[in-house]
Amino acid sequence: MTPPADTSTLPWQIEKIDFSRIQLDRIRDNQTMFYLLTASSFIESGADLYTSNLVDFFAADPEVAAWLAQHWEHEEMQHGRALRMYVQYVWPDFAWQDAFESFLQEYGKLCTTEELEATPAQELAARCVVETGTSSLYRAINACTDEPVLREIADHIRRDEVSHYKNFYHFFLRYRQEQKLSRLATFGTLARRLLELRNSDAEIALRHVFAYRQPQGTAAEQADINKRVTSLIRRNLPIEMTVKMLLKPLQLSPRWQKSLQWPLSGLTQIFMRVPL
């Protein structure tokens, strides 16, 4: 999808980022970060594939559909453009467009309405999990680099993802009441989507990045890259914040939240294993 005609409506403008300030000596030799950022740029750049499904899913709700089409999608696509520009500036020899098109051929098959939850309330709860994952990811990226332009971009994206979470949560509360979604059903949706974070999107993206970065590479080398990316995220993941965001849709009492904090912290580190 093309950018909005009036980019001033976005929370930040990519045109204001000075990519010439990138300190190449702090990032260029970091191959783990290359794979993490490039895979993330692929997923963000494919946002229009699943946004259209969500707009159709919420077509009967003008408020939700309008926000998705007029705000969320444009902001997600700007994330993809910013990350792509960064990757291409730091690693200009990588065939980003060719690798991305290869990724889309596989990724597009997963972006179907069948992948959405059964009800609007459950889908909104699931979106809260996804936005928790993305906001945590970009906070982790910000924490594990000292390259100033990357930190600026990661912070912009993190703020957007937190804002997206708040909007999805706001809509979720309305639908939860209207559809009388139980806490148990909500928990089931959250748990199911958390389990799914281990699969599909990020692993597909990493595989296509690897295929174009190391065309003669072995399966063992690819597995090592996945492991290094996972380790980088885990070491820098803001666990406490992530767990609080995951638990919020359950609307638990403070006592129950505190009792679940510790076991969920361990599970979060297990399942937040690759970029989202």
Side-chain angles (χ1 to χ4, degrees):
M1 181 172 178
T2 57
D6 182 8
T7 59
S8 66
T9 61
L10 295 169
W12 54 280
Q13 287 74 49
I14 195 172
E15 295 79 11
K16 294 182 179 180
I17 296 176
D18 183 1
F19 287 87
S20 68
R21 291 193 305 108
I22 295 174
Q23 298 180 16
L24 295 174
D25 59 317
R26 299 191 179 192
I27 190 71
R28 178 169 282 171
D29 294 334
N30 191 331
Q31 289 304 300
T32 303
M33 189 65 80
F34 161 77
Y35 276 97
L36 173 56
L37 296 178
T38 308
S40 298
S41 74
F42 283 6
I43 296 168
E44 297 281 6
S45 297
D48 55 336
L49 294 176
Y50 53 82
T51 304
S52 60
N53 291 333
L54 281 178
V55 172
D56 291 342
F57 190 72
F58 287 100
D61 189 327
E63 181 186 9
V64 178
W67 177 75
L68 288 169
Q70 298 171 18
H71 297 279
W72 185 60
E73 180 176 8
H74 293 300
E75 292 168 19
E76 291 291 312
M77 294 300 286
Q78 178 166 254
H79 299 169
R81 290 193 299 276
L83 290 169
R84 173 181 180 169
M85 290 175 68
Y86 189 90
V87 168
Q88 291 184 313
Y89 191 97
V90 179
W91 298 282
D93 58 324
F94 179 70
W96 191 96
Q97 186 63 37
D98 291 342
F100 176 63
E101 290 176 1
S102 175
F103 160 76
L104 279 185
Q105 290 181 9
E106 182 176 356
Y107 181 62
K109 297 174 183 178
L110 300 178
C111 298
T112 64
T113 54
E114 287 75 19
E115 296 297 315
L116 302 179
E117 296 290 331
T119 69
Q122 289 174 295
E123 179 57 32
L124 289 166
R127 297 314 311 176
C128 286
V129 175
V130 175
E131 299 299 336
T132 295
T134 50
S135 62
S136 297
L137 169 66
Y138 290 106
R139 186 181 287 268
I141 290 174
N142 184 282
C144 70
T145 184
D146 61 355
E147 201 295 296
V149 177
L150 178 55
R151 296 198 70 183
E152 178 184 358
I153 293 171
D155 191 56
H156 279 315
I157 298 177
R158 177 193 64 81
R159 291 175 185 273
D160 284 352
E161 303 294 9
V162 171
S163 176
H164 297 167
Y165 176 95
K166 292 178 179 178
N167 278 278
F168 281 120
Y169 181 71
H170 167 74
F171 296 138
F172 164 75
L173 291 180
R174 170 159 63 84
Y175 272 98
R176 180 180 183 272
Q177 183 175 4
E178 291 175 359
Q179 299 180 350
K180 303 187 186 311
L181 185 68
S182 69
R183 185 174 285 123
L184 181 60
T186 301
F187 177 79
T189 298
L190 298 177
R192 181 166 58 254
R193 188 53 61 97
L194 182 59
L195 288 169
E196 290 175 356
L197 292 182
R198 295 191 65 180
N199 304 315
S200 65
D201 297 13
E203 293 184 358
I204 292 172
L206 283 170
R207 186 165 66 250
H208 286 272
V209 176
F210 179 80
Y212 279 80
R213 185 66 168 179
Q214 298 176 230
Q216 306 303 319
T218 65
E221 289 173 323
Q222 182 181 341
D224 179 65
I225 288 168
N226 289 4
K227 183 178 179 180
R228 284 192 280 122
V229 169
T230 298
S231 178
L232 182 66
I233 295 171
R234 284 179 176 169
R235 290 197 308 270
N236 295 278
L237 196 69
I239 293 296
E240 184 176 352
M241 181 206 75
T242 302
V243 172
K244 285 182 178 178
M245 291 175 71
L246 288 172
L247 288 175
K248 192 172 182 179
L250 294 175
Q251 297 185 294
L252 299 171
S253 67
R255 183 174 68 86
W256 274 103
Q257 278 194 304
K258 186 176 181 180
S259 65
L260 289 173
Q261 186 84 21
W262 182 81
L264 275 180
S265 294
L267 287 174
T268 299
Q269 287 186 305
I270 292 172
F271 293 112
M272 297 285 192
R273 59 190 286 258
V274 285
L276 304 167

